[in-house]
Amino acid sequence: MEVRLAEHAGFCFGVKRAVDTVYEQIKIGKNIYTYGPIVHNEEVVKELADKGVKVLASKEELMSLPGGRDFRADPCDAPCPETKVIIRAHGVSEEIYRILEEKGLECVDATCPFVRRIQKKAAEESDKGKHIVIVGDPGHPEVEGIVGRCKGPVTVLESLQEAEEAVFLDKEELCIVAQTTFNYNKFHDIVEILGKRGYNGNVVNTICNATEERQRSARALALEADVMIVIGSRHSSNTTKLYEICSEVCAHTYFIQTLDDLHLALPKAVRLVGITAGASTPNKLIEEVQNYVRINF
Ligand code: F3S
Protein backbone atom coordinates (compact mmCIF):
# COMPACT_ATOMS: atom_id res chain seq x y z
CA MET A 1 0.00 0.00 0.00
CA GLU A 2 1.31 3.43 -0.92
CA VAL A 3 0.89 6.55 1.25
CA ARG A 4 1.24 9.76 -0.74
CA LEU A 5 1.12 13.41 0.32
CA ALA A 6 -0.50 15.93 -2.05
CA GLU A 7 2.06 18.00 -3.98
CA HIS A 8 0.96 21.16 -2.14
CA ALA A 9 -0.27 20.69 1.42
CA GLY A 10 0.04 22.37 4.80
CA PHE A 11 1.40 25.79 5.74
CA CYS A 12 1.54 28.34 2.97
CA PHE A 13 4.57 30.61 2.71
CA GLY A 14 2.97 33.47 4.66
CA VAL A 15 1.65 31.35 7.53
CA LYS A 16 4.96 29.49 7.89
CA ARG A 17 6.81 32.78 7.99
CA ALA A 18 4.46 34.12 10.70
CA VAL A 19 4.69 30.99 12.87
CA ASP A 20 8.50 30.91 12.49
CA THR A 21 8.55 34.56 13.57
CA VAL A 22 6.76 33.67 16.83
CA TYR A 23 9.26 30.88 17.56
CA GLU A 24 12.18 33.25 16.87
CA GLN A 25 10.69 35.76 19.31
CA ILE A 26 10.22 33.05 21.95
CA LYS A 27 13.99 32.42 21.77
CA ILE A 28 14.61 36.10 22.48
CA GLY A 29 12.37 35.62 25.50
CA LYS A 30 10.19 38.72 25.80
CA ASN A 31 6.60 39.00 26.89
CA ILE A 32 4.99 37.92 23.61
CA TYR A 33 1.49 38.53 22.33
CA THR A 34 -0.02 37.80 18.94
CA TYR A 35 -2.80 40.04 17.65
CA GLY A 36 -5.39 37.27 17.15
CA PRO A 37 -4.37 33.59 16.93
CA ILE A 38 -1.29 33.33 14.71
CA VAL A 39 -2.96 30.58 12.67
CA HIS A 40 -6.40 28.89 12.60
CA ASN A 41 -5.11 25.74 14.22
CA GLU A 42 -5.80 24.93 17.88
CA GLU A 43 -2.78 22.61 18.17
CA VAL A 44 -0.34 25.31 17.08
CA VAL A 45 -1.97 27.97 19.25
CA LYS A 46 -1.94 25.63 22.27
CA GLU A 47 1.72 24.75 21.74
CA LEU A 48 2.58 28.45 21.65
CA ALA A 49 0.40 29.14 24.71
CA ASP A 50 2.38 26.46 26.57
CA LYS A 51 5.50 28.47 25.73
CA GLY A 52 3.92 31.60 27.18
CA VAL A 53 2.61 33.29 24.03
CA LYS A 54 -0.66 35.10 24.71
CA VAL A 55 -3.36 35.93 22.19
CA LEU A 56 -4.97 39.38 22.05
CA ALA A 57 -8.56 38.81 20.97
CA SER A 58 -9.53 42.43 20.35
CA LYS A 59 -8.45 46.03 20.05
CA GLU A 60 -9.68 46.58 23.62
CA GLU A 61 -7.37 43.86 24.90
CA LEU A 62 -4.48 45.51 23.08
CA MET A 63 -5.39 48.86 24.66
CA SER A 64 -5.38 47.36 28.12
CA LEU A 65 -1.98 45.65 27.89
CA PRO A 66 0.22 46.10 30.94
CA GLY A 67 2.33 49.21 30.74
CA GLY A 68 -0.03 50.76 28.23
CA ARG A 69 -3.07 52.97 28.62
CA ASP A 70 -5.79 54.28 26.38
CA PHE A 71 -3.56 56.74 24.49
CA ARG A 72 -6.50 58.94 23.54
CA ALA A 73 -7.35 59.57 27.17
CA ASP A 74 -3.89 59.32 28.63
CA PRO A 75 -0.96 59.28 26.16
CA CYS A 76 1.72 56.82 27.21
CA ASP A 77 5.16 58.16 26.47
CA ALA A 78 7.16 55.51 28.26
CA PRO A 79 7.92 52.59 25.92
CA CYS A 80 7.15 49.10 27.22
CA PRO A 81 10.27 47.27 26.01
CA GLU A 82 9.40 43.98 27.64
CA THR A 83 6.30 43.47 25.56
CA LYS A 84 6.15 42.49 21.89
CA VAL A 85 3.06 42.20 19.74
CA ILE A 86 3.28 40.05 16.61
CA ILE A 87 1.05 40.87 13.65
CA ARG A 88 -0.38 37.86 11.80
CA ALA A 89 0.11 36.91 8.14
CA HIS A 90 -3.09 38.57 6.93
CA GLY A 91 -2.22 41.92 8.48
CA VAL A 92 -4.15 44.53 10.48
CA SER A 93 -5.58 47.98 9.92
CA GLU A 94 -3.41 51.07 10.34
CA GLU A 95 -5.31 51.88 13.52
CA ILE A 96 -3.68 48.89 15.22
CA TYR A 97 -0.17 50.10 14.25
CA ARG A 98 -1.10 53.52 15.56
CA ILE A 99 -2.23 52.11 18.89
CA LEU A 100 0.97 50.07 19.18
CA GLU A 101 3.07 53.12 18.47
CA GLU A 102 1.14 55.39 20.81
CA LYS A 103 1.40 52.89 23.59
CA GLY A 104 5.10 52.42 22.97
CA LEU A 105 4.74 48.69 22.39
CA GLU A 106 7.23 46.85 20.21
CA CYS A 107 5.64 45.45 17.07
CA VAL A 108 6.95 42.49 15.06
CA ASP A 109 5.17 42.59 11.74
CA ALA A 110 4.64 39.15 10.14
CA THR A 111 2.16 40.39 7.53
CA CYS A 112 2.56 38.23 4.43
CA PRO A 113 4.30 40.17 1.63
CA PHE A 114 1.45 39.24 -0.73
CA VAL A 115 -1.07 40.87 1.62
CA ARG A 116 1.20 43.87 1.99
CA ARG A 117 1.23 44.22 -1.80
CA ILE A 118 -2.58 44.54 -1.86
CA GLN A 119 -2.54 47.04 1.01
CA LYS A 120 0.02 49.11 -0.91
CA LYS A 121 -1.88 48.92 -4.20
CA ALA A 122 -5.18 49.90 -2.54
CA ALA A 123 -3.52 52.82 -0.75
CA GLU A 124 -1.84 54.10 -3.94
CA GLU A 125 -4.98 53.85 -6.07
CA SER A 126 -7.08 55.39 -3.33
CA ASP A 127 -4.63 58.29 -3.11
CA LYS A 128 -5.17 58.83 -6.85
CA GLY A 129 -8.87 59.30 -6.11
CA LYS A 130 -10.16 55.90 -7.23
CA HIS A 131 -13.00 54.08 -5.52
CA ILE A 132 -11.48 50.84 -4.19
CA VAL A 133 -13.60 47.71 -4.53
CA ILE A 134 -12.41 44.77 -2.45
CA VAL A 135 -13.89 41.41 -3.37
CA GLY A 136 -13.82 39.45 -0.13
CA ASP A 137 -15.30 38.86 3.30
CA PRO A 138 -15.89 42.23 5.04
CA GLY A 139 -15.44 40.65 8.47
CA HIS A 140 -12.05 39.13 7.67
CA PRO A 141 -9.08 40.92 9.25
CA GLU A 142 -7.20 40.95 5.93
CA VAL A 143 -10.06 42.87 4.30
CA GLU A 144 -10.39 45.16 7.29
CA GLY A 145 -6.66 45.86 6.96
CA ILE A 146 -7.03 46.79 3.28
CA VAL A 147 -10.08 48.96 3.96
CA GLY A 148 -8.06 50.78 6.61
CA ARG A 149 -5.43 51.74 4.00
CA CYS A 150 -7.92 53.56 1.77
CA LYS A 151 -8.35 57.29 2.25
CA GLY A 152 -11.25 57.66 -0.19
CA PRO A 153 -14.36 55.61 -0.98
CA VAL A 154 -14.11 51.87 -0.52
CA THR A 155 -16.67 49.07 -1.01
CA VAL A 156 -16.41 45.40 -0.07
CA LEU A 157 -18.35 42.92 -2.21
CA GLU A 158 -18.66 39.30 -1.14
CA SER A 159 -21.51 37.91 -3.24
CA LEU A 160 -22.88 38.05 -6.77
CA GLN A 161 -26.01 39.68 -5.39
CA GLU A 162 -23.97 42.45 -3.77
CA ALA A 163 -22.28 43.03 -7.14
CA GLU A 164 -25.72 43.28 -8.77
CA GLU A 165 -26.88 45.83 -6.20
CA ALA A 166 -23.77 47.95 -5.69
CA VAL A 167 -24.08 51.57 -6.78
CA PHE A 168 -21.12 53.74 -7.79
CA LEU A 169 -21.04 57.33 -8.99
CA ASP A 170 -21.14 57.81 -12.76
CA LYS A 171 -17.69 59.23 -13.39
CA GLU A 172 -16.04 57.36 -10.57
CA GLU A 173 -12.98 55.30 -11.49
CA LEU A 174 -12.82 51.91 -9.82
CA CYS A 175 -9.88 49.78 -8.75
CA ILE A 176 -10.95 46.19 -8.03
CA VAL A 177 -8.78 43.93 -5.87
CA ALA A 178 -9.46 40.61 -4.11
CA GLN A 179 -8.85 39.07 -0.71
CA THR A 180 -5.89 36.68 -1.14
CA THR A 181 -7.92 33.55 -0.33
CA PHE A 182 -11.05 34.42 -2.33
CA ASN A 183 -12.47 31.89 -4.80
CA TYR A 184 -11.12 32.81 -8.22
CA ASN A 185 -14.27 31.89 -10.21
CA LYS A 186 -16.44 33.97 -7.91
CA PHE A 187 -14.04 36.92 -8.20
CA HIS A 188 -14.22 36.62 -11.97
CA ASP A 189 -18.05 36.49 -11.89
CA ILE A 190 -18.27 39.57 -9.63
CA VAL A 191 -15.96 41.53 -11.96
CA GLU A 192 -18.06 40.41 -14.92
CA ILE A 193 -21.31 41.54 -13.28
CA LEU A 194 -19.83 44.96 -12.51
CA GLY A 195 -18.61 45.22 -16.13
CA LYS A 196 -22.03 44.33 -17.54
CA ARG A 197 -23.58 46.99 -15.33
CA GLY A 198 -21.22 49.53 -16.89
CA TYR A 199 -18.78 49.71 -13.98
CA ASN A 200 -15.33 49.05 -15.33
CA GLY A 201 -12.04 49.81 -13.79
CA ASN A 202 -8.59 48.65 -13.08
CA VAL A 203 -8.92 44.95 -12.09
CA VAL A 204 -6.00 43.56 -10.10
CA ASN A 205 -6.21 39.84 -9.43
CA THR A 206 -4.60 39.64 -6.00
CA ILE A 207 -5.73 36.08 -5.18
CA CYS A 208 -2.82 34.09 -3.81
CA ASN A 209 -2.14 30.89 -5.70
CA ALA A 210 -1.30 28.94 -2.50
CA THR A 211 -5.02 28.23 -1.98
CA GLU A 212 -5.62 27.16 -5.56
CA GLU A 213 -2.47 24.98 -5.64
CA ARG A 214 -3.66 23.13 -2.50
CA GLN A 215 -7.12 22.55 -3.92
CA ARG A 216 -5.85 21.45 -7.33
CA SER A 217 -3.30 18.97 -5.96
CA ALA A 218 -5.77 17.58 -3.37
CA ARG A 219 -8.28 16.84 -6.13
CA ALA A 220 -5.63 15.26 -8.38
CA LEU A 221 -4.54 12.93 -5.58
CA ALA A 222 -8.12 12.14 -4.46
CA LEU A 223 -8.96 11.07 -8.01
CA GLU A 224 -6.29 8.36 -7.79
CA ALA A 225 -6.57 7.43 -4.11
CA ASP A 226 -8.76 4.73 -2.56
CA VAL A 227 -8.76 6.60 0.75
CA MET A 228 -8.10 10.31 1.41
CA ILE A 229 -7.19 11.85 4.75
CA VAL A 230 -7.64 15.62 5.14
CA ILE A 231 -5.88 17.12 8.17
CA GLY A 232 -6.78 20.46 9.69
CA SER A 233 -8.91 22.45 12.05
CA ARG A 234 -12.71 22.36 11.81
CA HIS A 235 -12.52 26.17 12.05
CA SER A 236 -10.27 26.45 9.02
CA SER A 237 -12.36 27.29 5.96
CA ASN A 238 -9.64 26.26 3.52
CA THR A 239 -9.35 22.80 5.15
CA THR A 240 -13.13 22.34 5.00
CA LYS A 241 -12.98 23.25 1.33
CA LEU A 242 -10.25 20.62 0.75
CA TYR A 243 -12.47 18.04 2.44
CA GLU A 244 -15.41 18.93 0.17
CA ILE A 245 -13.25 18.73 -2.96
CA CYS A 246 -11.78 15.33 -2.01
CA SER A 247 -15.18 13.92 -0.97
CA GLU A 248 -16.59 14.72 -4.39
CA VAL A 249 -14.16 12.35 -6.11
CA CYS A 250 -13.14 9.91 -3.37
CA ALA A 251 -15.94 8.24 -1.38
CA HIS A 252 -13.60 7.29 1.49
CA THR A 253 -12.45 10.74 2.58
CA TYR A 254 -11.77 11.40 6.28
CA PHE A 255 -11.44 14.78 8.00
CA ILE A 256 -9.19 14.69 11.07
CA GLN A 257 -7.83 17.40 13.36
CA THR A 258 -5.14 15.30 15.01
CA LEU A 259 -3.85 11.75 14.91
CA ASP A 260 -6.26 10.85 17.75
CA ASP A 261 -9.20 11.29 15.36
CA LEU A 262 -7.85 8.70 12.95
CA HIS A 263 -9.68 5.39 13.34
CA LEU A 264 -9.05 3.69 10.04
CA ALA A 265 -9.97 0.12 9.26
CA LEU A 266 -8.50 -0.31 5.82
CA PRO A 267 -9.53 -3.26 3.67
CA LYS A 268 -6.70 -5.25 2.02
CA ALA A 269 -7.69 -3.96 -1.41
CA VAL A 270 -6.55 -0.42 -0.61
CA ARG A 271 -3.56 0.47 -2.81
CA LEU A 272 -3.20 4.20 -2.32
CA VAL A 273 -3.89 6.39 0.74
CA GLY A 274 -3.70 10.09 -0.08
CA ILE A 275 -3.04 12.79 2.51
CA THR A 276 -3.62 16.51 2.29
CA ALA A 277 -3.77 19.35 4.82
CA GLY A 278 -5.04 22.91 5.06
CA ALA A 279 -2.79 25.97 4.92
CA SER A 280 -2.91 26.20 8.72
CA THR A 281 -1.83 22.62 9.45
CA PRO A 282 1.76 22.27 10.70
CA ASN A 283 4.22 19.87 9.05
CA LYS A 284 4.80 18.01 12.28
CA LEU A 285 1.16 16.88 12.33
CA ILE A 286 1.22 15.88 8.66
CA GLU A 287 4.36 13.78 9.23
CA GLU A 288 2.85 12.10 12.30
CA VAL A 289 -0.20 11.01 10.30
CA GLN A 290 1.91 9.89 7.35
CA ASN A 291 4.18 7.78 9.55
CA TYR A 292 1.28 6.30 11.48
CA VAL A 293 -0.50 5.14 8.33
CA ARG A 294 2.74 3.76 6.84
CA ILE A 295 3.61 1.77 9.97
CA ASN A 296 0.17 0.53 10.93
CA PHE A 297 -1.35 -0.51 7.61
FE1 F3S B 1 0.30 34.81 2.10
FE2 F3S B 1 -0.98 33.46 0.27
FE3 F3S B 1 -0.60 32.39 2.58
S1 F3S B 1 -1.23 35.60 0.74
S2 F3S B 1 -0.59 34.09 3.99
S3 F3S B 1 1.00 32.95 1.11
S4 F3S B 1 -2.43 32.20 1.36
Side-chain angles (χ1 to χ4, degrees), residues 12-15 89-90 112-115 142 180-181 206 208-211 279:
C12 62
F13 157 78
V15 167
H90 46 231
C112 175
F114 300 132
V115 174
E142 178 188 326
T180 52
T181 49
T206 47
C208 173
N209 62 9
T211 311

Side-chain angles (χ1 to χ4, degrees), residues 40-64:
H40 284 138
N41 186 288
E42 294 81 358
E43 300 300 309
V44 178
V45 174
K46 191 177 167 300
E47 198 174 304
L48 292 172
D50 290 344
K51 294 186 188 304
V53 177
K54 296 175 219 53
V55 176
L56 295 166
S58 64
K59 192 171 73 179
E60 288 66 35
E61 284 191 21
L62 171 62
M63 305 277 274
S64 64

Side-chain angles (χ1 to χ4, degrees), residues 101-226:
E101 199 180 321
E102 296 276 354
K103 283 176 70 76
L105 292 169
E106 204 174 333
C107 164
V108 181
D109 195 349
T111 306
C112 175
F114 300 132
V115 174
R116 212 188 277 280
R117 203 173 59 190
I118 311 178
Q119 293 174 344
K120 189 163 171 272
K121 183 77 187 164
E124 281 170 4
E125 298 298 309
S126 181
D127 283 349
K128 287 182 202 160
K130 293 192 186 169
H131 187 136
I132 307 300
V133 178
I134 305 163
V135 179
D137 168 3
H140 192 285
E142 178 188 326
V143 174
E144 287 171 357
I146 303 167
V147 170
R149 298 298 187 291
C150 303
K151 301 238 164 58
V154 53
T155 300
V156 182
L157 300 176
E158 193 179 16
S159 66
L160 305 188
Q161 193 183 340
E162 284 170 6
E164 294 283 5
E165 291 167 358
V167 179
F168 302 97
L169 300 176
D170 265 357
K171 297 235 160 56
E172 210 170 28
E173 260 195 273
L174 304 184
C175 171
I176 309 171
V177 298
Q179 184 180 342
T180 52
T181 49
F182 204 76
N183 176 308
Y184 176 73
N185 291 335
K186 206 164 154 193
F187 173 64
H188 181 264
D189 291 347
I190 287 176
V191 171
E192 199 171 74
I193 290 171
L194 293 177
K196 279 189 185 145
R197 294 185 58 225
Y199 297 129
N200 291 301
N202 176 14
V203 180
V204 194
N205 175 9
T206 47
I207 295 173
C208 173
N209 62 9
T211 311
E212 200 209 325
E213 277 172 354
R214 272 152 191 72
Q215 294 180 359
R216 201 172 8 87
S217 54
R219 187 170 191 279
L221 181 54
L223 276 168
E224 277 188 66
D226 303 293

Side-chain angles (χ1 to χ4, degrees), residues 243-260:
Y243 174 72
E244 283 165 19
I245 289 170
C246 294
S247 305
E248 278 165 22
V249 292
C250 176
H252 302 288
T253 298
Y254 299 88
F255 191 147
I256 62 166
Q257 300 205 78
T258 68
L259 192 52
D260 295 339

